[in-house]
Amino acid sequence: MNTKAKENYQFQKIVAIVGVLLFVIKILAWSLTHSVAILTDALESVINVISGFVGLYSLYLSALPRDRNHPYGHGKVEFISATVEGGMIILAGLVIIFEAVRNLLHPQPVGQLDYGIILVAITAVVNYILGWYAIKKGKTNKSLALVASGRHLQSDTYSTIGIIIGLILLYFTGYGWLDSGVALLFAGIIIVTGYKIVRGAISGIMDETDELLLKEVVEYLQEHRRANWIDLHNLRIIKYGAVLHFDCHMTIPWYFNIVEGHKEVEQLEQEIIEKFGADMELFVHMDDCKPFSCVICKVENCAYRQAEFEHQIEWTIENISKNKRHNSSTTPQG
């Protein structure tokens, strides 16, 4: 298990344990108040606890080394975990809507709201801080499962805030419908959050292009390109857990020998790792330059040049992703 994977796994352990403790606190608050709104929050925490352990197991699997049956590793399981977690968040939102509507139709008497509000407020603060840190660490370590856990914790916070607002209004006004009304509002927010997590996970499973990441990579390569990298094309990036798989074709001078060509690939690899970390696998196919490449080639003192240099092609998402070389007008060449 590499360092980042170990960090993700250990942090998810904390998320799972804290989830259990917060669930106990919410049950205590419900036993004191008999508030249906607090019971709804506690029911959502059940999903939170289950999701925490699902995320923990997925991080354990994703950290396993590649084997014969999984040559790219086990990182895809994080997308499955995030799909489950996002679905459970949506389910939690639907449960809250159901309970809130039922409470509107059949109001229940509540008591000791002051203690209930304090206990639930504590869980909201802890959930938000833990969720914020989980998202931060997940983005740093490129763990979708940890990001999903963090968003789940924060969505739980939003619903809890809604319930607290409703309970405070109920405490001061005595209007029993207020807690259900606010809970309905935040249930909608929760469902949208769950949908975004599921959408992102399905994108990962389908290897959908991460436009922001691809843009960042292309801009970085454009800024740090070398003269011998005449052209880059067919660039693809696939994410498996915390590992990024980077494929591309690099056009280099045709007269380079294997050692010289390999040196250029190593330089490209070093630039990528320096920017995006060591959890990166690069597969670079070397292409020899063609006569039409001369006009975009900045290699100096080339004894085989057949045309003067005109201008260098600026790499963009559009032209670097095509499985074709480019000439001076960026027209694809075979």
Side-chain angles (χ1 to χ4, degrees):
M1 188 180 290
N2 62 41
T3 302
K4 288 185 178 180
K6 188 175 182 180
E7 286 181 4
N8 295 341
Y9 182 70
Q10 294 299 329
F11 189 81
Q12 187 63 31
K13 277 186 178 179
I14 296 174
V15 171
I17 293 171
V18 171
V20 173
L21 294 176
L22 295 183
F23 169 69
V24 172
I25 292 175
K26 289 180 180 180
I27 288 296
L28 175 61
W30 170 72
S31 66
L32 290 173
T33 63
H34 297 288
S35 167
V36 175
I38 292 179
L39 176 60
T40 300
D41 201 29
L43 290 175
E44 184 189 1
S45 288
V46 173
I47 297 176
N48 213 18
V49 170
I50 296 173
S51 297
F53 283 100
V54 169
L56 182 63
Y57 184 60
S58 77
L59 286 173
Y60 165 75
L61 288 180
S62 67
L64 293 177
R66 71 184 70 188
D67 52 38
R68 187 169 63 87
N69 294 326
H70 304 86
Y72 289 96
H74 300 76
K76 282 282 188 179
V77 71
E78 290 199 20
F79 295 122
I80 299 173
S81 168
T83 302
V84 172
E85 194 156 347
M88 296 184 92
I89 291 175
I90 294 173
L91 177 61
L94 295 175
V95 169
I96 292 173
I97 291 174
F98 175 79
E99 293 294 337
V101 171
R102 189 170 70 170
N103 190 46
L104 281 172
L105 298 175
H106 307 286
Q108 300 293 322
V110 296
Q112 300 189 62
L113 279 177
D114 46 355
Y115 292 109
I117 291 171
I118 292 172
L119 289 174
V120 173
I122 291 172
T123 67
V125 172
V126 173
N127 261 338
Y128 189 84
I129 294 174
L130 193 62
W132 174 83
Y133 196 69
I135 293 173
K136 180 181 178 182
K137 183 169 285 292
K139 288 182 176 179
T140 301
N141 293 347
K142 297 181 174 63
S143 171
L144 183 62
L146 208 53
V147 171
S149 289
R151 294 193 191 282
H152 194 169
L153 289 169
Q154 289 194 334
S155 71
D156 189 33
T157 301
Y158 301 145
S159 64
T160 301
I161 289 173
I163 288 171
I164 290 172
I165 293 173
L167 291 175
I168 291 175
L169 293 174
L170 174 60
Y171 182 79
F172 286 106
T173 66
Y175 297 148
W177 58 269
L178 287 172
D179 58 336
S180 295
V182 177
L184 285 170
L185 173 64
F186 281 86
I189 297 175
I190 292 172
I191 291 173
V192 171
T193 301
Y195 167 77
K196 289 181 178 178
I197 292 175
V198 172
R199 177 67 181 84
I202 292 175
S203 296
I205 292 173
M206 298 297 293
D207 291 328
E208 183 176 309
T209 300
D210 186 334
E211 293 288 344
L212 293 178
L213 176 61
L214 184 59
K215 182 174 184 291
E216 185 179 5
V217 170
V218 172
E219 289 178 350
Y220 182 78
L221 290 177
Q222 173 65 31
E223 183 180 350
H224 295 82
R225 67 190 296 176
R226 300 171 185 267
N228 290 331
W229 303 350
I230 299 171
D231 187 28
L232 282 183
H233 58 280
N234 200 23
L235 174 63
R236 295 170 295 180
I237 302 174
I238 301 174
K239 187 174 184 299
Y240 282 79
V243 179
L244 292 175
H245 296 264
F246 178 105
D247 302 325
C248 74
H249 288 212
M250 174 191 285
T251 302
I252 59 175
W254 64 265
Y255 50 84
F256 273 21
N257 60 36
I258 294 176
V259 174
E260 291 171 322
H262 189 63
K263 183 179 178 181
E264 296 301 324
V265 172
E266 286 183 334
Q267 290 176 334
L268 175 65
E269 182 177 359
Q270 188 58 41
E271 290 287 355
I272 293 293
I273 290 177
E274 185 175 330
K275 172 66 175 178
F276 298 96
D279 291 328
M280 172 82 71
E281 286 193 347
L282 283 85
F283 300 92
V284 181
H285 174 82
M286 288 182 286
D287 288 330
D288 58 320
C289 65
K290 300 295 182 182
F292 61 75
S293 302
C294 289
V295 293
I296 63 171
C297 174
K298 293 187 69 175
V299 175
E300 298 180 354
N301 303 319
C302 176
Y304 303 96
R305 180 176 290 280
Q306 299 185 27
E308 293 297 321
F309 169 75
E310 294 181 2
H311 69 276
Q312 194 176 60
I313 298 297
E314 180 179 353
W315 293 331
T316 65
I317 293 179
E318 289 73 24
N319 64 30
I320 206 171
S321 300
K322 295 178 180 178
N323 189 20
K324 294 288 185 180
R325 308 187 202 202
H326 299 87
N327 65 6
S328 61
S329 62
T330 72
T331 301
Q333 302 290 322

